[in-house]
Amino acid sequence: MKKILDLMENRLKQAFEAAGYESSYAKVVLSNRPDLCEYQCNGAMAAAKAYHKKPIDIANQVVEALGDGGEMFSMAQAVMPGFINLKLAEGFLARYMEEMAEAYKLGLEEPEKKETIIVDYGGANVAKPLHVGHLRSAVIGECVKRLGTFMGHQVIGDVHLGDWGLQMGLIIEELRDRKPELPYFDPNHTGPYPEEAPFTISELEEIYPAASAKSKTDEAFKDRAHEATLKLQQGYEPFRAIWRHIIRVSVSDLKKNYQSLDVTFDLWKGESDADPYIPKLIEILEGKGLLKESQGAMVVEVAKDTDTKEVPPCLIRKSDGAALYATSDLGTIIEREEDFHPDRYIYVVDKRQEMHFVQVFRVAKMAGIVKEETPMIFLGFGTMNGKDGKPFKTREGGVMRLERLIGEIDEAVYERIMENRTVDEEEARKTAKIVGLAALKYGDLSNQAAKDYVFDVDRFISFEGNTGPYILYTIVRIKSILSKAAEAGAVGQTGEILPAAGAGEKSLMLQIARFSEVMEGAFEEMAPHKICQYIYELANRFNSFYHDTKILTEEDAGRRSSYIALISLTKTVLETCIHVLGFEAPDRM
Ligand code: ARG
């Protein structure tokens, strides 16, 4: 289905041509004076310069040439100094609503080219508990993945675990100190290692912070951890065996956590999976003469003359041979190229890592690992702060665990539901989970990703204002009207939508009509907050329509049925959008 803006623009193109002007001037945009019109075309202003005429004369000629007879426009007016103000005809808009309701994906057009897109998000580190720092990556990344899929692309989400770094050596050495009798530490051990992990997840979670703290005061311990990491990376079997246990125990816990966020990944790859590709990487870089020696390390110089700030060389290999962050990202890119030939890469990572990605992307292109024209997008996000404006902490000042954060939100929502409602406890608990997740995700996604934002539970869980629960509340309200209508047998659903009878109804339709344009824009700009803005406005318009209109008691059966069809379409649009954002609505709340 053509976007409504395009339909209008096509009509105006004909008019510009008929009046003797280039059709390229016929751009139609949303009105910036909603009191005067719904849409506008400013093309006559630009054309005036090219044709050396007065803008208003051109605008008048175009309006005359439009000769639309009220079919698409109920108003097309040339106003000083040369704008063309437009209002859509109610009949045209109503038919557009009907078509949307019938169409696959609400009429969204398939992309010109179906792309294979890698979204790298989550980025959890094995053996370290998920904390709020990983929350944003998971929430934004999941939305980007769903949005790309909805647009019609093949999107592959990869969690890209941190599973190859120093934390592994720290855990191994801490384990040695605690349980020296384990066979992994016995150089004379022969035969296979135990099937069972030498720790539970709660032990593991306690081991890492302890080891990390120890390494800060105990130099010798730190050196041992470095050495153990290196040995692990070089393939020392006893350490590989421990490492496999760490991964298994930790990943099953991570999966539980991501599941409670309704976040899923197609690939559970990690930095370690890049390891087999490193020799190839070095070979490519050497072949291209890109590797340079610098202070005992191998680097690729990536600075460009056009850089406005310093871009340091990308560190590929240090003298001790330990794996480096950039090296493993480059190895991963080789793997992704071999496995998927992606048309686009999107990395959803803390914006403080931007320089790392600038370097990695440049090396990938200079080395010809990724085609010059393939977009590599860094979607960097800001920090989640507490009300004090500092990075979010627990009340005791520690790093907030994700599980606990979710638990606290669910509890707050639960209390709110129990306060004013008489649903039973079990239902309230279930609903609280659904609403809590919406509060959390919407609270994040409604901000521009790159900006820091303040995590404010009280605001996020409010049923009023620009919040997830408000959107859900609106959907639940529509669901309840629809089920009452069905009960009363008052539906008489023909699917027919009549031309809007009032301003509120039309304004609701106009907002619905923007759906495809908004989704495409949000995808192009990688901007989930645009979807939030859109549904917030849609929910507002629905609620004021609902406030002013007797839907179920409308006497005219045709009108009543039309209302029902319209609000049911509103619900579909809202539900489609929240699904893309990554949450769902309950039946009641
Ligand atoms: N594990 C990293 C961290 O916690 C994030 C990984 C981001 N993705 C990537 N391809 N480097 O900082």
Side-chain angles (χ1 to χ4, degrees):
M1 234 174 115
K2 282 241 168 346
K3 288 191 286 290
I4 201 138
L5 276 177
D6 292 343
L7 291 174
M8 285 187 267
E9 193 161 311
N10 286 345
R11 190 60 68 90
L12 269 117
K13 276 185 175 162
Q14 290 165 10
F16 269 82
E17 270 180 11
Y21 303 103
E22 281 248 15
S23 64
S24 57
Y25 291 110
K27 191 145 187 59
V28 176
V29 293
L30 213 56
S31 159
N32 55 18
R33 285 291 304 273
D35 52 325
L36 298 179
C37 57
E38 294 154 2
Y39 293 92
Q40 64 191 64
C41 170
N42 306 336
M45 312 286 282
K49 293 198 189 82
Y51 291 93
H52 306 293
K53 288 191 182 172
K54 272 198 256 158
I56 188 68
D57 293 345
I58 298 180
N60 271 316
Q61 286 172 309
V62 171
V63 167
E64 195 163 313
L66 201 57
D68 168 71
E71 197 195 309
M72 183 181 286
F73 299 109
S74 63
M75 183 193 93
Q77 207 175 44
V79 298
M80 284 303 270
F83 299 117
I84 301 172
N85 286 352
L86 301 165
K87 281 188 183 173
L88 275 178
E90 277 75 5
F92 177 82
L93 186 57
R95 276 195 307 283
Y96 194 80
M97 294 295 104
E98 287 177 354
E99 269 183 61
M100 272 183 83
E102 287 285 308
Y104 173 58
K105 294 201 289 196
L106 293 156
L108 184 89
E109 291 187 298
E110 286 303 305
E112 266 166 48
K113 176 174 181 288
K114 189 179 160 122
E115 293 185 17
T116 298
I117 303 174
I118 296 273
V119 184
D120 182 312
Y121 66 109
N125 298 314
V126 162
K128 302 188 195 173
L130 271 184
H131 58 77
V132 294
H134 291 112
L135 175 70
R136 297 209 72 191
S137 180
V139 169
I140 300 168
E142 178 71 19
C143 173
V144 166
K145 181 188 69 181
R146 291 182 186 210
L147 180 55
T149 307
F150 184 74
M151 297 312 291
H153 298 295
Q154 198 213 339
V155 188
I156 302 160
D158 183 3
V159 65
H160 199 77
L161 294 174
D163 63 355
W164 209 221
L166 181 62
Q167 84 258 39
M168 296 301 169
L170 287 167
I171 293 168
I172 291 170
E173 288 308 314
E174 178 66 19
L175 201 61
R176 183 201 300 276
D177 289 354
R178 292 181 184 202
K179 302 182 181 174
E181 70 286 359
L182 286 172
Y184 312 95
F185 306 115
D186 173 5
N188 301 318
H189 179 82
T190 51
Y193 290 99
E195 296 265 311
E196 189 139 345
F199 38 68
T200 62
I201 180 67
S202 20
E203 281 166 339
L204 190 57
E205 281 177 355
E206 184 261 320
I207 289 176
Y208 170 73
S212 166
K214 196 196 274 188
S215 74
K216 294 203 173 95
T217 54
D218 183 341
E219 271 306 310
F221 179 75
K222 192 171 157 191
D223 290 345
R224 269 163 56 204
H226 268 291
E227 207 172 303
T229 308
L230 208 56
K231 268 180 124 169
L232 165 72
Q233 291 174 352
Q234 286 159 352
Y236 181 60
E237 186 46 33
F239 290 0
R240 285 280 168 118
I242 301 181
W243 173 77
R244 281 191 292 271
H245 285 308
I246 300 176
I247 303 269
R248 210 162 22 81
V249 169
S250 178
V251 165
S252 76
D253 184 60
L254 282 173
K255 284 192 175 164
K256 261 203 332 247
N257 272 286
Y258 281 125
Q259 197 180 1
S260 68
L261 282 174
D262 218 341
V263 167
T264 58
F265 301 92
D266 305 289
L267 300 176
W268 278 82
K269 295 259 180 185
E271 291 170 356
S272 65
D273 291 289
D275 193 54
Y277 295 86
I278 306 298
K280 183 154 184 198
L281 171 69
I282 303 290
E283 193 187 303
I284 296 174
L285 295 177
E286 261 170 358
K288 297 244 167 185
L290 291 169
L291 271 189
K292 301 238 156 70
E293 233 215 86
S294 164
Q295 297 161 8
M298 299 307 276
V299 302
V300 176
E301 277 163 13
V302 290
K304 292 182 186 169
D305 296 342
T306 47
D307 289 338
T308 49
K309 62 178 173 199
E310 197 203 331
V311 182
C314 183
L315 197 52
I316 302 291
R317 181 146 271 188
K318 281 209 293 204
S319 49
D320 66 0
L324 293 164
Y325 193 36
T327 318
S328 78
D329 262 320
L330 285 162
T332 303
I333 294 173
I334 296 182
E335 181 182 15
R336 288 172 178 167
E337 285 291 322
E338 287 182 7
D339 292 352
F340 306 108
H341 308 293
D343 299 297
R344 191 193 292 240
Y345 289 84
I346 302 168
Y347 290 80
V348 186
V349 185
D350 192 311
K351 73 176 175 202
R352 284 170 292 191
Q353 292 191 26
E354 179 160 19
M355 186 53 83
H356 163 77
F357 285 97
V358 168
Q359 295 173 312
V360 167
F361 295 169
R362 285 191 186 177
V363 175
K365 299 236 162 145
M366 286 162 72
I369 298 167
V370 176
K371 285 207 269 336
E372 194 51 54
E373 65 271 22
T374 304
M376 301 189 87
I377 299 162
F378 174 67
L379 179 50
F381 52 80
T383 309
M384 182 173 129
N385 288 327
K387 277 192 192 163
D388 56 1
K390 299 201 190 101
F392 193 80
K393 293 264 157 63
T394 59
R395 251 169 255 130
E396 304 79 55
V399 177
M400 177 70 107
R401 301 258 320 254
L402 195 57
E403 258 174 300
R404 176 163 161 202
L405 180 81
I406 295 175
E408 285 188 3
I409 291 189
D410 290 356
E411 192 56 36
V413 175
Y414 173 77
E415 273 162 26
R416 175 132 330 168
I417 293 175
M418 290 308 266
E419 240 167 53
N420 43 10
R421 229 114 307 216
T422 44
V423 291
D424 64 69
E425 233 182 87
E426 200 191 317
E427 184 177 342
R429 284 275 170 217
K430 263 205 210 140
T431 308
K433 266 198 182 333
I434 302 175
V435 180
L437 189 63
L440 180 74
K441 287 191 167 184
Y442 193 95
D444 188 309
L445 294 168
S446 54
N447 302 286
Q448 211 173 311
K451 294 210 170 125
D452 297 349
Y453 76 100
V454 173
F455 185 83
D456 180 347
V457 182
D458 296 329
R459 192 171 73 75
F460 288 3
I461 69 165
S462 165
F463 285 20
E464 281 144 45
N466 189 9
T467 70
Y470 170 67
I471 305 292
L472 297 192
Y473 189 69
T474 305
I475 296 173
V476 166
R477 175 175 266 174
I478 301 177
K479 281 186 180 180
S480 135
I481 306 170
L482 291 177
S483 72
K484 277 195 197 123
E487 268 166 39
V491 194
Q493 269 280 23
T494 56
E496 191 180 358
I497 297 182
L498 300 174
E505 188 180 8
K506 187 175 188 192
S507 137
L508 175 60
M509 290 186 183
L510 285 169
Q511 183 69 359
I512 291 175
R514 294 188 55 210
F515 173 76
S516 289
E517 167 212 329
V518 169
M519 292 309 241
E520 285 181 10
F523 179 68
E524 260 156 44
E525 293 168 41
M526 291 284 116
H529 73 281
K530 300 226 154 152
I531 302 176
C532 296
Q533 274 168 5
Y534 171 71
I535 55 176
Y536 178 50
E537 180 62 24
L538 180 58
N540 281 339
R541 293 193 192 188
F542 165 78
N543 283 313
S544 64
F545 165 70
Y546 171 77
H547 183 260
D548 297 339
T549 315
K550 292 198 191 74
I551 296 175
L552 291 171
T553 52
E554 166 62 47
E555 277 170 18
D556 180 324
R559 186 52 71 190
R560 189 172 62 229
S561 159
S562 167
Y563 285 157
I564 304 274
L566 179 62
I567 67 169
S568 151
L569 175 61
T570 308
K571 170 171 142 326
T572 309
V573 174
L574 286 171
E575 283 179 332
T576 305
C577 289
I578 64 167
H579 176 74
V580 166
L581 291 174
F583 56 90
E584 313 292 325
D587 287 329
R588 303 194 288 178
M589 63 190 267

